[in-house]
Amino acid sequence: MLIRKAPQIKSSEITSEADYLDRRSFLAKAGLAAAGLAGASPVIAAVASDPGASGRVLENVSESPLSLDEAPNSWRDVTTYNNFYEFGTGKEDPSRYAGSLVTRPWQVKVSGECDQPGDYNLEDILSPHALEERVYRLRCVEAWSMVIPWVGFPLADLLKRFQPNSDARFVRFRTLYDPGQMPGQRRRILDWPYVEGLTIEEAMNPLAFMAVGVYGRELPNQNGAPMRLVVPWKYGFKSIKTINAIHFTRTRPRTSWEASAPREYGFYANVNPNVDHPRWSQASERIIGSGLFAPRRKTEMFNGYAEQVAHLYQGLDLRRNF
Amino acid sequence: MATRSRSLTCTRAWICAETFSMPAFGSKGFTRLIKTLLWPLCLAPLLWLGLGAFELLGFNLGANPVEKLLHELGKWGLKFLLLTLAITPLRYWTGWHWLVTFRRLLGLFAFFYLFLHFLVYIVLDRYLDFSGLLEDIVERPYITLGMTGLLLLLPLALTSTRGWMRRLGRRWKKLHRLVYASAILGVWHFYWQVKLDTLEATVYALILAALLLARIVHSRRKAARIQVRSETLLPEDSGGAPLRR
Ligand code: HEM
């Protein structure tokens, strides 16, 4: 289970982060105990549910101390307001057209700088991991946000199984390319297939998450079934959906949005209220589901996760590396 | 009771009159009838958005109602603007000069929808944060374009009455050519705010280009005709006379 530490991270920072997490989980446990739930299998009861939800229920999902303590958006918001250009550029297109995607059987190709490359069946990818719920805020680059109760497992736990070597400085992820199943790919608005990437330090951060479900159920196709990334301190487009390839590399991957408009979308894409998109402000965001007459919310640095991730960018000019 | 039955017979009589003596194509009665039908048609998008905004009769505006409202009002405003611009080319193509009677109505509806578009932006989207609004207008080129486009429509809406038409005479026509500038700015504004998929904005841009082209072709032909006429020594030219309404 040991992973080579990336050279940039100072061990002191790792320690402080671990302390931080311990504190959070301690608080969470204390809270449960105080509510008289400890020991009474509180775990499953705590997972978010919605009367409108559908799809296979995921069993044995535990709570996470990393979850936001906020009411999530409705199932309807989460599953009908999506950016997934593989199924069309309208927000409701994915919920309309993603039915054509077939997610079983599913294989993920693992390659590059690692000791366990290969073509893995989805079942083999998922089986060793205990599922947990992570309630995160998703902040889209279009200046809106939602709170979503994802179900999945830490990305680091998955990546460590492939034993990345010391040359693995970046991880590249790829979405399925199949215009037959993904009608949006028949138009070349992006250079398909969709590609995203993280530094290995970002990928190993405890917040980085591989989601296989939402609201205690299997992911609907429009949300990126069968598995998708969730990187809550970055703009939503970093959280690549419907992943079928993972590649460890020495060089920084060229991501789809960066390739399509390098002036507007960078590799890092960290949520940052102080660095505007060239065409619109990022200082505030509209909260999806808040209705017609609600004010905007002030956007937080790193989407509110600065304490956990700011250390990853020490010394980096975030204005230039947007 | 008596009133009710009387109104019923009146309505019936009115309907019979209308159906049995359908006004002749292009006549005054005919344009009045079309205008009566046009009003509810022009208000239909507003009704639909209003029902959606208040979630009545099963309508709704989806997960992001402010964005939906903003975008739909912008697109309806632009549609009305293009329809207004289409009247003159259509008149020349079809010879249906009575079409001009609807131009003012369509133009005012364009202004109405775009003004609502602007209101939704400052009230519901920006939440009346005027400092942010000023910053937006100055710093975001697509907002600058939209704002200019709307401001250009303002004098046109104000001088759209018969009185102003008479008062301004030939200058009225000149002034109202601003509508072309406004439409160009509006389409440009639309194009600029799109994140990636410019297909829809391109369709609007092509329609506008076609309308402008039709206009240019027409005025070239007219100029040529005037020249021919002056060469055949007609004493006075009436090419620039105001349109009969
Ligand atoms: C001639 C005047 C105008 C026209 C024709 C126009 C038309 C449009 C159209 C067609 C859209 C895009 C709808 C879509 O993407 O589906 C739009 C978006 C927008 N317009 Fe306008 N507009 C005008 C004036 C204005 C003004 C005065 C403002 C505010 C000061 C404004 C603010 C906006 C904003 C904020 C958006 C949405 C941008 C986004 O979602 O990122 N517009 N407009």
Side-chain angles (χ1 to χ4, degrees), chain B residues 70-71 74-75 78 114 117-118 121 142 146-147 186 189-190 193:
Chain B
L70 183 65
H71 284 192
K75 280 191 282 197
L78 195 51
L114 291 172
H117 173 68
F118 169 72
Y121 176 67
Y142 84 91
M147 201 64 229
H189 155 83
F190 183 5
Q193 59 86 40

Side-chain angles (χ1 to χ4, degrees), chain A residues 142 280, chain B residues 67-68 70-79 81 114 117-119 121-122 125-126 133 136-137 142-151 153 182-183 185-187 189-191 193-195 200 204:
Chain A
E142 296 167 358
W280 58 83
Chain B
E67 177 190 56
K68 181 84 169 183
L70 183 65
H71 284 192
E72 288 302 325
L73 288 169
K75 280 191 282 197
W76 278 107
L78 195 51
K79 278 175 198 140
L81 206 52
L114 291 172
H117 173 68
F118 169 72
L119 278 185
Y121 176 67
I122 58 167
D125 194 50
R126 291 287 131 189
L133 179 72
D136 263 10
I137 292 174
Y142 84 91
I143 298 278
T144 319
L145 291 174
M147 201 64 229
T148 316
L150 185 64
L151 283 177
L153 286 182
S182 175
L185 292 172
V187 168
H189 155 83
F190 183 5
Y191 199 89
Q193 59 86 40
V194 171
K195 202 162 110 211
E200 200 181 7
Y204 282 85

